[in-house]
């Protein structure tokens, strides 16, 4: 079962090139790319931040086309992967910021509603990750009420 989309109806987005091979103009070797990825992960960057960095700074359009593996899989192989999945981490971060806002602004009813939606999304995605073994079965999100 797929997780339903809560909002948004647009389908526009970037499209990857049809050819799944590395472009001829790239000069870096897969091993040097893997070392760069590991170095940036140890600095504390998330896999998506590493991908943006590789694209913008080093001119690598798709790490997967050059190395044959995705960034997160390379990090897991090297033992540098984040403990929480990135989307779950950002949802928790968002909920914490909303709670902090709610402490200062008690009458913000819209924020209260959005916080309920965000926390239910956290619980739903946590169930998925527990089922697929990406989060420990005993892990639980606890909102500081």
């Amino acid at each position: 079962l797929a997780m339903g989309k809560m909002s948004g109806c647009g389908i526009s987005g970037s499209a990857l090139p049809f050819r799944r091979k590395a472009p001829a103009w790239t000069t870096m070797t897969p091993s040097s790319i893997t070392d760069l990825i590991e170095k940036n992960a140890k600095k504390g960057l998330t896999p998506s931040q590493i991908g943006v960095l590789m694209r913008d700074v080093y001119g690598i359009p798709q790490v997967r086309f050059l190395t044959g593996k995705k960034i997160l899989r390379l990090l897991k192989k090297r033992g540098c992967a984040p403990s929480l999945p990135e989307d779950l981490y950002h949802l928790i971060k968002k909920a914490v910021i909303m709670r902090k806002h709610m402490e200062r602004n008690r009458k913000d009813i819209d924020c209260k509603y959005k916080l309920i939606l965000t926390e239910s999304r956290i619980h739903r995605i946590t169930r998925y990750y527990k089922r697929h073994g990406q989060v420990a079965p005993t892990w639980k999100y606890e909102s500081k009420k």
Side-chain angles (χ1 to χ4, degrees):
L1 294 171
M3 192 163 113
K5 282 190 123 178
M6 295 294 287
S7 63
C9 56
I11 58 164
S12 63
S14 62
L16 291 176
F18 181 72
R19 287 180 58 215
R20 290 196 184 97
K21 293 184 173 60
W25 44 265
T26 53
T27 56
M28 294 183 86
T29 61
S31 60
S32 64
I33 290 171
T34 310
D35 293 337
L36 264 174
I37 289 171
E38 185 180 5
K39 186 179 83 175
N40 286 311
K42 285 181 178 172
K43 283 184 188 173
L45 295 178
T46 62
S48 60
Q49 288 173 328
I50 292 171
V52 170
L53 186 82
M54 299 303 259
R55 183 195 67 201
D56 295 344
V57 177
Y58 299 103
I60 298 164
Q62 280 286 317
V63 170
R64 185 168 45 105
F65 293 168
L66 286 161
T67 60
K69 291 190 178 100
K70 295 181 178 184
I71 294 174
L72 188 60
R73 289 191 181 153
L74 288 169
L75 291 176
K76 279 182 182 174
K77 190 177 177 187
R78 295 273 180 114
C80 303
S83 57
L84 275 181
E86 200 173 342
D87 53 351
L88 181 61
Y89 169 77
H90 285 294
L91 279 173
I92 291 170
K93 191 174 165 185
K94 184 178 184 179
V96 167
I97 291 168
M98 289 169 108
R99 273 212 181 277
K100 197 173 173 184
H101 171 81
M102 285 296 294
E103 285 173 12
R104 285 180 279 122
N105 305 286
R106 289 270 180 221
K107 292 186 177 181
D108 194 347
I109 300 165
D110 186 52
C111 182
K112 186 177 181 180
Y113 173 68
K114 298 291 183 187
L115 178 64
I116 291 167
L117 290 182
T118 305
E119 287 186 341
S120 64
R121 198 178 297 146
I122 289 170
H123 294 305
R124 192 167 7 146
I125 206 164
T126 302
R127 262 198 325 267
Y128 170 82
Y129 283 136
K130 282 181 181 177
R131 209 169 45 237
H132 287 78
Q134 293 182 342
V135 170
T138 56
W139 189 88
K140 188 170 182 172
Y141 169 73
E142 292 176 1
S143 55
K144 308 289 187 273
K145 290 184 179 176

